[in-house]
Amino acid sequence: MAIRPPENWRAGMAEEAREPAAGTLDPECACMAQLYPESLLRATEDALHAFEEDVHALVAPSDEQVFDTIKRVVQRLNAVNEDEQHGGAGYNTDGA
């Protein structure tokens, strides 16, 4: 099973939370919790769960059905990214 981004983000936040106590990070530099608020994580998980359900419902799908399924998850994730309830947080799509 694939590891979803929210799982990685939560692991990163947990690690970052330990770093100030270890003296490896200035507490003022800890920013992951602001980048990935719980509302964003939950909404992302919901969109990915809906995608998984859509994929599992496909039986001998046509190319059009596959593309429509992908289109829906992209639209859901775009809506999550643009939702103001996350306090301006969204996906970093600039690359690393």
Side-chain angles (χ1 to χ4, degrees):
M1 176 170 216
I3 297 174
R4 295 177 177 177
E7 293 175 56
N8 287 331
W9 298 333
R10 281 191 176 99
M13 286 188 290
E15 182 178 333
E16 185 181 77
R18 291 187 296 269
E19 290 176 345
T24 58
L25 180 69
D26 183 330
E28 292 183 20
C29 295
C31 64
M32 288 192 73
Q34 292 174 343
L35 293 174
Y36 305 111
E38 188 60 31
S39 62
L40 178 74
L41 300 180
R42 278 193 316 273
T44 301
E45 289 171 338
D46 291 347
L48 295 175
H49 180 73
F51 174 66
E52 286 178 348
E53 288 181 343
D54 290 348
V55 168
H56 288 293
L58 296 173
V59 178
S62 66
D63 288 349
E64 184 176 347
Q65 289 172 307
V66 171
F67 287 117
D68 285 345
T69 301
I70 294 167
K71 180 180 177 180
R72 281 193 304 275
V73 74
V74 169
Q75 290 171 332
R76 288 177 187 133
L77 291 170
N78 284 343
V80 169
N81 190 50
E82 295 167 3
D83 192 333
E84 293 297 320
Q85 78 167 340
H86 311 305
Y91 307 129
N92 177 1
T93 58
D94 293 336

